[in-house]
Amino acid sequence: MPRALFEKTGQAVWMSHLDLMRLFQRAFKRAGLLLTHTQGYNPRPSVSIALPLSVGVESHCELLDFDLEGEGVSCEEIKNRLNNALVEGVRVLDVYENEGKIKNLALLDCVVTLEYDTGIPEGAVEAITSLFTQKSLIVEKKGKNGVTEQDIVPMIRKMGVLRQDDHCIRLKARICCQNPTLNPVQLGAAIAKYLTQYVPDFVSSCREEIYTQEETIFR
């Protein structure tokens, strides 16, 4: 089964996961690439996206698995035909034959940007750096079963806190993304809970790369 590596940037970040799925289904159709369908009473196109992305989060490392009917089409042609059928902000970076099993996807690199309209408060970088060296940080996590509490420290492999300019601080982290899962948004939530004097005016996040448990790039 082929796999596509794609990015979601710009205004496309406000597209929900379900809308993104529909977008790709329509893009395959417009590109003249017929998807196979599941069997049963409610057949569905054979297309799936690993690690559904939260609304508002950018990514350069999303994975789409799919299966096509009919004669084989080269990976390069699939990539080009899809990109001609997709909207601005969603772009296929590569198409290749499926290699790694999604269950082996374990870690991801993310960048969380903290923006301060009137400038970074004095001592913010040092306080945030110190916060993420704590032995435990309990934050709320919203899920299908309601709100639960989660200790995010065991799910952070690496963390760097960098002053980007007079108004922005960047958190560069390698975190767990499956079993257990840490949403990059929760890094900002930890600051809001424990460092109320350093809460930013705006928080944005981006997935940069994905890895196996052994920290080799996953494809």
Side-chain angles (χ1 to χ4, degrees), residues 26-152:
R26 291 195 297 268
F28 275 101
K29 187 174 182 178
R30 286 196 296 268
L33 300 168
L34 299 181
L35 293 165
T36 62
H37 284 68
T38 59
Q39 302 298 313
Y41 291 105
N42 186 26
R44 296 182 180 180
S46 299
V47 58
S48 63
I49 297 174
L51 305 181
L53 198 62
S54 298
V55 173
V57 178
E58 284 195 351
S59 179
H60 303 292
C61 55
E62 296 303 286
L63 298 179
L64 174 86
D65 287 345
F66 60 94
D67 191 27
L68 298 179
E69 291 184 352
E71 297 181 3
V73 180
S74 73
C75 290
E76 186 66 19
E77 185 176 351
I78 293 172
K79 170 187 168 182
N80 292 335
R81 287 163 68 172
L82 282 176
N83 280 332
N84 287 332
L86 288 166
V87 300
E88 183 177 353
V90 181
R91 186 169 67 96
V92 176
L93 304 174
D94 195 14
V95 175
Y96 53 94
E97 288 301 320
N98 189 326
E99 294 182 6
K101 294 182 178 180
I102 295 299
K103 68 178 183 180
N104 295 326
L105 174 54
L107 305 167
L108 66 81
D109 281 348
C110 65
V111 174
V112 177
T113 302
L114 314 175
E115 299 182 29
Y116 298 86
D117 291 343
T118 59
I120 298 171
E122 185 176 352
V125 173
E126 295 78 11
I128 293 170
T129 300
S130 178
L131 176 68
F132 288 105
T133 64
Q134 302 300 311
K135 293 182 179 180
S136 177
L137 290 174
I138 306 298
V139 298
E140 290 186 346
K141 179 183 180 180
K142 295 180 180 179
K144 294 180 179 179
N145 298 320
V147 178
T148 59
E149 291 191 331
Q150 185 178 46
D151 185 1
I152 67 174

Side-chain angles (χ1 to χ4, degrees), residues 113-117 128 188 191-192 195-196 198-203:
T113 302
L114 314 175
E115 299 182 29
Y116 298 86
D117 291 343
I128 293 170
I191 295 170
L195 298 173
T196 55
Y198 299 123
V199 175
D201 295 291
F202 185 73
V203 180

